[in-house]
Amino acid sequence: MQRDGSATSYDVARAAGVSQSTVSRVFSPKAKVSEAVAQRVRDAAAQLGYRPNRLARAMITGRSRIVALVVAHFENPFYPDSFEHLALALQKEGYHVLTFMAADLGARTDEVIQELLDYRVEGLIMASVGLSNELTQAIAEAEIPVVMFNRVQDHQDISGVSSDNVAGGRAIAEHLLRTGHSRISYIAGWEGASTQRDREAGFLAGLADGGATLFSREVGDFHHDSAEKAARRMFAAPVHPDAVFVANDHMAFAVMDVLRHDLGLRIPEDVSVIGYDDVPTSAWKSYDLTTVRQPVRAMVDGAVRLLLERIAHPDAPAARIVLEGALIERGSVRRA
Amino acid sequence: MQRDGSATSYDVARAAGVSQSTVSRVFSPKAKVSEAVAQRVRDAAAQLGYRPNRLARAMITGRSRIVALVVAHFENPFYPDSFEHLALALQKEGYHVLTFMAADLGARTDEVIQELLDYRVEGLIMASVGLSNELTQAIAEAEIPVVMFNRVQDHQDISGVSSDNVAGGRAIAEHLLRTGHSRISYIAGWEGASTQRDREAGFLAGLADGGATLFSREVGDFHHDSAEKAARRMFAAPVHPDAVFVANDHMAFAVMDVLRHDLGLRIPEDVSVIGYDDVPTSAWKSYDLTTVRQPVRAMVDGAVRLLLERIAHPDAPAARIVLEGALIERGSVRRA
DNA sequence: ACATGTCTTGAATTCGAATGCAAAGGCTTG
DNA sequence: CAAGCCTTTGCATTCGAATTCAAGACATGT
């Protein structure tokens, strides 16, 4: 009974006058038990408050039904939002989510991911976190499916879902040129991120195609405070840009606040600002930020699908999904 | 070896020429093994990529080293922020976090928490989620420690950490009266939440003590969109308030945007706005919101401490921690 | 040299549920 | 009515590591 909290299948077996195997079968959907016995067992189980121990079940079946979710930090609301939908989608598929926050751990990340693997998770979703080469190797050897979310990884055996950041960067360049801007600048994110790299590459290519070049560039590292500083540096120059593409919305808010409240500039009359992600705050009237929308729901669905397919067919090759974003025009960019 | 992914202690034992027991002892800190043998085993383990299976270990020791973290949703940034720090603090203590998002599941919440218990988690932290009576009962019977985060629960056997929302509400009333406001209104959060109830109770008590009464009241349910609607309803009246206390910062931003951009009111000249939580966005220049700071770090530390103490001493009584908040004066309230 | 104690190590058991195999029972069919 | 088949159930084993108990190795004291 509840000597130490919960009943075991043996307790139920004894109470129902059957064997432990039968109890087990009653709780395994595919196994067959006569309805009369099943009912007796279910009654006894309810009586004792018995539920199968998932750890024991995982041991024997080799399927823990746990997926690990690794996230760097939640400063940028894009990530908690994605996290929420990822967790819900996985829950709907009967998986439970072991979370690991990788914030500020640097090298220790590898170690803790090893710890996650010790739980025999069936798969791994990494959002906003890169993998070291050794770890990539370790994961490949453990033969555990991995999906990178909003990042691309070069290793051929790692799946990934992202939006087309190159196309998005290019669309932004085209939009700024089309609306008649001539001194166009860029505030970069953390240079180690593929999103940063791809958005900038597309943006520069788009400028080049339009016969323009970058007016100035600063690095904001995807953090609010760094972005504020980057904006101040950028606008300390004698001539300032008439448009700034900020590598994500979260930094763009910091930049807009500096421009308006520290420097007294009007947006978009004095300077246009454009972001990336389309987090909910971008639609708020205080910012009303033109941006490129990342299709979070579709990315989440894709990530979950890739992961589950890989779990079901471990020998299938890794796959990559790249979704289209969409330029959302709001009021932070001057019209032509 | 890695026939199916990972080596077992038997594989290592064979490779090192020792028994499985010895391998196990090498990986149990307290057990004693001669240094020579230990080294041989460690080498073999490294060679084979062996790490102890935590599920198997949990089975025999009865300690899964897993804590469940239940969160309703991440719309209000207070929660992802708390979640991040909770997860980090628990990781630091050697626990891993099984996450469950309770968003929109309503009655199904109970069921899924049952599922969490099936993983034999050692404890449960609930943030922003209430418990049904049956569930509270089930948890008490399972003898598993529970800590409510930013909520209080009446059940005597459930620990909780919160800030003093009554005192905070009162401080806000006093501040608004001191600064000379006379038509003071309130936009409530979801009425089922203890934070909502306590903040309003303290606020009304504070007004009463100052000889004032509430000018008007609407309900925003802690959601951005509902708060916008609540603000529009409130300001559709012929005479509008000169100060509004909004039950949390997240709703206050929505209210401020409506007041400024839809209704053309100036803050604080035409109307003062005050929030609750002090989320990072409140300090941004666009909002510059006066608010009551909830001491997130201290609340997180308290929650983790309560939980771990309860895990270590299951017979100790449940405890409650109530921390002081602090009124943070910014620019959204008119000075006297 | 012998008794005693300490330290290592291995054999056997355990945690809780799933499952292959075999036995027992029920039913069909010639 | 017997032979054969299918269904239901129990027995015994398994997953992987921790732990109890006992035995062996070695040192110490008298």
Side-chain angles (χ1 to χ4, degrees):
Chain A
M1 314 243 295
Q2 37 235 57
R3 293 177 306 277
D4 68 328
S6 54
T8 73
S9 56
Y10 287 96
D11 299 322
V12 177
R14 200 174 322 119
V18 298
S19 72
Q20 178 271 328
S21 331
T22 299
V23 175
S24 170
R25 278 189 267 260
V26 171
F27 288 91
S28 313
K30 53 193 165 299
K32 34 200 28 219
V33 188
S34 74
E35 189 45 45
V37 173
Q39 196 51 54
R40 199 143 45 87
V41 169
R42 274 193 287 267
D43 288 348
Q47 183 76 22
L48 297 173
Y50 167 80
R51 313 193 96 231
N53 181 328
R54 306 218 40 160
L55 301 182
R57 178 177 277 186
M59 281 227 49
I60 192 91
T61 61
R63 312 215 47 194
S64 63
R65 292 255 146 194
I66 299 179
V67 166
L69 205 43
V70 183
V71 195
H73 52 70
F74 279 166
E75 181 188 331
N76 173 5
F78 178 79
Y79 287 108
D81 195 47
S82 303
F83 181 95
E84 173 170 348
H85 290 111
L86 279 168
L88 285 171
L90 288 166
Q91 282 168 207
K92 201 174 301 172
E93 299 291 340
Y95 280 83
H96 291 256
V97 175
L98 203 58
T99 305
F100 168 58
M101 300 288 321
D104 305 329
L105 285 173
R108 249 178 57 77
T109 302
D110 281 23
E111 179 188 331
V112 191
I113 292 192
Q114 276 287 4
E115 289 179 24
L116 286 184
L117 297 181
D118 295 344
Y119 282 98
R120 300 305 187 259
V121 297
E122 293 187 40
L124 201 52
I125 295 184
M126 317 263 312
S128 82
V129 190
L131 289 173
S132 74
N133 288 331
E134 305 84 56
L135 193 59
T136 308
Q137 200 59 38
I139 287 172
E141 272 170 21
E143 289 174 20
I144 173 175
V146 180
V147 176
M148 306 292 293
F149 184 86
N150 201 35
R151 279 279 186 289
V152 299
Q153 186 84 4
D154 291 329
H155 194 283
Q156 51 151 359
D157 210 43
I158 302 226
S159 301
V161 179
S162 66
S163 71
D164 189 340
N165 290 290
V166 176
R170 181 182 290 272
I172 287 172
E174 288 164 0
H175 184 64
L176 291 177
L177 291 173
R178 193 185 322 122
T179 46
H181 297 84
S182 54
R183 298 186 307 281
I184 302 179
S185 296
Y186 179 63
I187 292 183
W190 176 57
E191 311 241 23
S194 67
T195 44
Q196 146 57 29
R197 198 184 56 221
D198 292 350
R199 287 168 197 179
E200 181 164 20
F203 185 58
L204 294 179
L207 288 182
D209 288 358
T213 57
L214 198 63
F215 181 70
S216 59
R217 176 186 196 273
E218 294 288 345
V219 178
D221 276 338
F222 287 141
H223 292 301
H224 183 90
D225 294 356
S226 311
E228 282 186 342
K229 291 188 191 114
R232 290 205 190 90
R233 282 197 304 275
M234 180 173 277
F235 284 77
V239 180
H240 70 67
D242 63 356
V244 185
F245 167 31
V246 189
N248 71 7
D249 290 355
H250 176 64
M251 291 198 297
F253 305 139
V255 170
M256 290 174 82
D257 279 355
V258 166
L259 299 185
R260 283 175 175 154
H261 302 287
D262 289 3
L263 307 175
L265 296 171
R266 290 164 308 157
I267 298 170
E269 293 82 353
D270 299 323
V271 54
S272 294
V273 176
I274 195 161
Y276 210 108
D277 281 346
D278 193 30
V279 298
T281 306
S282 302
W284 295 2
K285 283 288 169 52
S286 288
Y287 294 106
D288 196 32
L289 177 65
T290 294
T291 187
V292 173
R293 172 174 299 164
Q294 294 218 81
V296 176
R297 296 306 188 84
M299 287 169 68
V300 164
D301 291 346
V304 170
R305 191 160 51 75
L306 283 188
L307 191 73
L308 296 187
E309 278 173 8
R310 205 87 201 294
I311 289 174
H313 310 289
D315 298 327
R320 220 153 275 176
I321 295 179
V322 179
L323 296 156
E324 289 308 306
L327 186 76
I328 307 293
E329 290 189 52
R330 297 207 180 89
S332 66
V333 172
R334 172 166 46 100
R335 312 262 162 172
Chain B
M1 316 236 293
Q2 41 235 55
R3 292 178 305 277
D4 68 328
S6 55
T8 73
S9 57
Y10 286 97
D11 298 321
V12 177
R14 199 174 322 120
V18 298
S19 72
Q20 179 269 331
S21 328
T22 300
V23 175
S24 170
R25 279 189 267 260
V26 171
F27 287 91
S28 312
K30 51 192 167 299
K32 31 200 26 211
V33 188
S34 75
E35 190 45 44
V37 173
Q39 195 52 54
R40 201 142 45 85
V41 170
R42 274 193 289 266
D43 287 349
Q47 183 75 23
L48 296 173
Y50 167 80
R51 314 191 98 232
N53 181 329
R54 306 216 42 163
L55 301 182
R57 176 177 281 186
M59 281 225 50
I60 192 89
T61 61
R63 312 213 45 194
S64 62
R65 292 255 146 195
I66 300 178
V67 166
L69 206 44
V70 182
V71 195
H73 52 71
F74 280 166
E75 181 188 331
N76 173 5
F78 177 80
Y79 288 106
D81 195 47
S82 303
F83 181 95
E84 174 170 348
H85 290 111
L86 279 167
L88 285 170
L90 287 165
Q91 282 169 206
K92 201 174 299 171
E93 300 291 341
Y95 280 84
H96 290 257
V97 175
L98 203 59
T99 305
F100 168 58
M101 300 288 322
D104 305 330
L105 286 174
R108 247 178 58 77
T109 302
D110 281 23
E111 179 186 332
V112 190
I113 291 192
Q114 276 288 5
E115 289 179 23
L116 286 183
L117 297 181
D118 295 344
Y119 281 98
R120 300 304 187 258
V121 297
E122 293 186 39
L124 200 54
I125 295 184
M126 316 264 312
S128 82
V129 190
L131 288 173
S132 74
N133 287 332
E134 304 85 55
L135 194 58
T136 307
Q137 200 58 39
I139 287 172
E141 272 170 21
E143 289 174 20
I144 173 175
V146 180
V147 176
M148 305 291 294
F149 184 87
N150 200 37
R151 278 280 186 292
V152 299
Q153 186 84 5
D154 291 328
H155 194 283
Q156 50 152 0
D157 208 44
I158 302 227
S159 301
V161 179
S162 67
S163 71
D164 189 340
N165 289 292
V166 176
R170 180 181 291 272
I172 286 172
E174 288 164 1
H175 184 64
L176 290 177
L177 291 173
R178 193 185 322 123
T179 45
H181 297 83
S182 55
R183 299 186 306 282
I184 302 180
S185 297
Y186 179 63
I187 292 185
W190 176 58
E191 311 241 24
S194 67
T195 44
Q196 145 59 29
R197 197 183 56 221
D198 292 352
R199 286 168 197 178
E200 181 165 18
F203 184 59
L204 295 179
L207 288 182
D209 289 357
T213 56
L214 197 63
F215 181 70
S216 58
R217 177 186 193 272
E218 293 287 346
V219 178
D221 275 339
F222 287 141
H223 292 301
H224 183 91
D225 294 357
S226 312
E228 282 186 342
K229 291 188 191 114
R232 289 205 190 91
R233 281 196 304 275
M234 178 173 280
F235 283 78
V239 181
H240 70 67
D242 63 356
V244 184
F245 167 32
V246 189
N248 72 5
D249 290 356
H250 176 65
M251 291 198 297
F253 305 139
V255 171
M256 290 175 83
D257 279 356
V258 166
L259 299 185
R260 282 176 176 155
H261 301 288
D262 288 3
L263 306 176
L265 297 170
R266 290 164 307 159
I267 300 170
E269 294 82 353
D270 299 321
V271 54
S272 294
V273 176
I274 195 160
Y276 210 107
D277 282 347
D278 194 31
V279 299
T281 306
S282 303
W284 294 1
K285 284 286 169 53
S286 287
Y287 294 105
D288 197 33
L289 177 66
T290 293
T291 187
V292 172
R293 173 174 298 165
Q294 294 218 81
V296 176
R297 296 305 188 85
M299 288 169 68
V300 164
D301 291 347
V304 170
R305 191 160 51 73
L306 283 187
L307 191 73
L308 297 186
E309 278 174 7
R310 204 88 200 292
I311 289 174
H313 310 288
D315 297 326
R320 220 152 275 178
I321 295 180
V322 179
L323 296 156
E324 288 308 306
L327 186 76
I328 306 292
E329 290 189 51
R330 296 207 181 89
S332 66
V333 172
R334 173 165 46 97
R335 311 263 164 171

